[in-house]
Amino acid sequence: MVSPNYTIRTMSRDEINIAIDWAAFEGWNPGLHDIDCFYAADPEGFLVGELNHEPIATISAVKYGETFGFVGFYIVKPEYRGQGYGIQIWNAGLKRLSARNIGLDGVVAQQNNYKKSGFELAYRNIRYEGLSGGIQSENPEVIDLSRLPFDAVEAYDRSFFPGNRTQFLKSWLNQPESIALGIMQKGKLAGYGMVRACRSGYKVGPLFADSPELAEALFMSLKAAIKPGKPLYLDVPEMNREAVALAEKHQMKLVFETARMYTGIFPDLPLNRLFGVTSFELG
């Protein structure tokens, strides 16, 4: 039975670290500097459930534009699970995103529970682990992404995401301990990717490109640009067979998977050009 002393409220910017720390404990390996990016996406989008003023549950329910939202960081402290606290903060998160199409990357074991809330499976995302280092791509059109106007990068990014994420993207591409690269064709951006420092090693994400060859050139350059021999992660949509092949070609091993689910019509995203998910937590 849920105690009457259980309350749910919006987190402050610094309190988002609670959710990030819990995510790290669950093995989700968040980035070292994700907090500012997540807060920039939607300052009101992070909720905490408190029992007698002790945080025991978290969820993010982030709004993008006017029609899309994404749920993440749905975590209840282990000793309080199965007592009704989780479903209350879950419902509060969904209420905040009511009338929107809502997406999530959930652990596979929870798929049936998410279906009860109206979510349907679109596809699986697969996390691969390998090692940093290697040889830079010889493609001369791989450039530092900062050489391009932000508007050009955002315009390219727009087709890969169902809602407006301008503020998030500005922060994401400029976070510390990260490298962002683009690749050009005929004077236009034909792909970009980023690698950032995480609690363990590094993650590549996003990784978007107009062809598998361009994606590999970016991936090689990103993994070679950081300290060699560190754990390196890439999250790919399983439906993109070329993305799976890229990970396997570079001796990466499957370590984790999620169920990408939506409450509404599945967004028409170019999964054949989506080689690396930006973030399981925020989509």
Side-chain angles (χ1 to χ4, degrees):
M1 182 176 178
V2 174
S3 167
N5 295 324
Y6 181 61
T7 59
I8 297 170
R9 62 172 177 82
T10 303
M11 289 182 180
S12 69
R13 180 248 179 235
D14 288 341
E15 286 175 326
I16 298 172
N17 275 315
I18 297 170
I20 292 175
D21 287 342
W22 289 3
F25 181 79
E26 295 290 332
W28 299 352
N29 194 26
L32 295 182
H33 305 284
D34 285 356
I35 183 170
D36 287 325
C37 311
F38 291 169
Y39 187 71
D42 183 353
E44 304 295 318
F46 296 81
L47 306 180
V48 59
E50 295 180 317
L51 181 61
N52 297 318
H53 306 292
E54 176 196 353
I56 66 165
T58 62
I59 197 168
S60 60
V62 170
K63 295 179 179 178
Y64 291 104
E66 299 299 322
T67 60
F68 186 63
F70 203 86
V71 169
F73 288 111
Y74 178 41
I75 307 171
V76 179
K77 290 183 75 172
E79 60 267 36
Y80 294 101
R81 292 174 186 175
Q83 300 175 44
Y85 296 108
I87 192 63
Q88 286 208 13
I89 199 168
W90 169 261
N91 288 336
L94 294 192
K95 182 178 180 181
R96 186 171 191 273
L97 301 178
S98 61
R100 294 169 180 260
N101 187 9
I102 308 170
L104 62 77
D105 272 309
V107 294
V108 175
Q110 292 294 324
Q111 277 187 64
N112 288 334
N113 287 333
Y114 297 140
K115 285 180 179 179
K116 293 175 184 177
S117 295
F119 287 84
E120 294 294 334
L121 177 66
Y123 52 86
R124 295 194 308 163
N125 282 320
I126 309 294
R127 173 162 295 169
Y128 285 92
E129 178 181 354
L131 290 175
S132 61
I135 301 170
Q136 289 266 6
S137 167
E138 295 181 358
N139 191 316
E141 294 196 295
V142 174
I143 63 168
D144 189 319
L145 198 66
S146 65
R147 289 173 52 187
L148 298 177
F150 174 77
D151 289 351
V153 179
E154 183 187 29
Y156 185 82
D157 181 86
R158 198 168 295 139
S159 67
F160 294 93
F161 198 75
N164 183 308
R165 61 175 184 173
T166 301
Q167 297 308 314
F168 167 81
L169 198 62
K170 282 181 179 178
S171 183
W172 190 258
L173 295 177
N174 291 287
Q175 61 181 283
E177 297 186 79
S178 70
I179 297 168
L181 301 175
I183 192 164
M184 309 296 290
Q185 275 198 325
K186 298 179 180 178
K188 293 184 177 181
L189 189 62
Y192 85 91
M194 180 180 141
V195 62
R196 76 191 196 282
C198 295
R199 298 287 179 98
S200 172
Y202 296 83
K203 279 185 193 171
V204 173
L207 180 61
F208 304 148
D210 292 352
S211 73
E213 294 76 21
L214 296 176
E216 183 172 29
L218 282 168
F219 181 70
M220 290 176 63
S221 295
L222 289 167
K223 72 191 290 284
I226 54 180
K227 188 175 180 179
K230 297 294 184 181
L232 182 72
Y233 301 92
L234 177 67
D235 301 331
V236 308
E238 186 186 36
M239 291 177 67
N240 184 343
R241 303 310 303 170
E242 297 285 359
V244 171
L246 172 66
E248 292 176 347
K249 178 179 178 180
H250 290 271
Q251 289 80 53
M252 304 183 84
K253 304 298 183 184
L254 190 158
V255 294
F256 184 68
E257 65 182 75
T258 69
R260 172 59 64 94
M261 306 180 79
Y262 297 99
T263 56
I265 296 172
F266 297 166
D268 185 19
L269 303 179
L271 294 179
N272 64 315
R273 296 191 294 130
L274 202 165
F275 292 83
V277 178
T278 305
S279 160
F280 282 165
E281 292 81 17
L282 263 71

